[in-house]
């Protein structure tokens, strides 16, 4: 129907490569344990977690820390405002871009 004459070359890799790739994919997949099965190495970790309590949570920030952080943010904001004002002054020296 499509090809009426000519010579065709089919390489052997066309048939072999899919099986090689499938074998590599199956080799890299880890098979998990059936549902409900327990692994001994995980059971030891679970038992250790029950014996050793979790570490205490980090203390909340103090008022002094919050004030220092607010002061740092204010300083950054002021620096940005000064930078923006300096750039705005640069553009004010030029003629207006649109006629009035």
């Amino acid at each position: 129907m499509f090809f009426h004459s000519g010579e065709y070359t089919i390489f052997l890799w066309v048939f072999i490569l899919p099986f090689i790739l499938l074998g590599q994919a199956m080799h890299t997949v880890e098979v998990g344990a059936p549902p409900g099965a327990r692994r001994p190495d995980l059971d030891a970790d679970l038992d250790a977690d029950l014996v050793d309590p979790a570490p205490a949570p980090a203390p909340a920030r103090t008022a002094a820390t919050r004030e220092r952080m607010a002061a740092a943010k204010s300083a950054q904001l002021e620096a940005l405002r000064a930078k923006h004002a300096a750039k705005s002054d640069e553009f004010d020296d030029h003629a207006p871009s649109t006629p009035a």
Side-chain angles (χ1 to χ4, degrees):
M1 184 170 173
F2 294 110
F3 303 107
H4 298 290
S5 66
E7 188 174 306
Y8 309 105
T9 304
I10 298 177
F11 295 98
L12 186 61
W13 283 107
V14 172
F15 300 104
I16 297 174
L17 191 63
F19 292 105
I20 292 173
L21 294 175
L22 183 63
Q24 286 181 344
M26 291 177 63
H27 180 70
T28 58
V29 173
E30 292 184 15
V31 179
R38 298 184 72 177
R39 293 178 23 194
D41 56 341
L42 293 179
D43 291 341
D45 291 339
L46 291 175
D47 293 338
D49 288 341
L50 294 176
V51 174
D52 298 332
R61 292 188 176 132
T62 62
T65 302
R66 287 192 296 270
E67 287 176 11
R68 282 195 304 271
M69 290 174 68
K73 286 184 180 181
S74 295
Q76 287 176 344
L77 182 60
E78 190 59 37
L80 282 173
R81 285 182 180 154
K83 182 179 176 182
H84 180 68
K87 284 196 176 210
S88 294
D89 289 342
E90 276 181 32
F91 294 117
D92 288 342
D93 295 339
H94 301 294
S97 59
T98 56

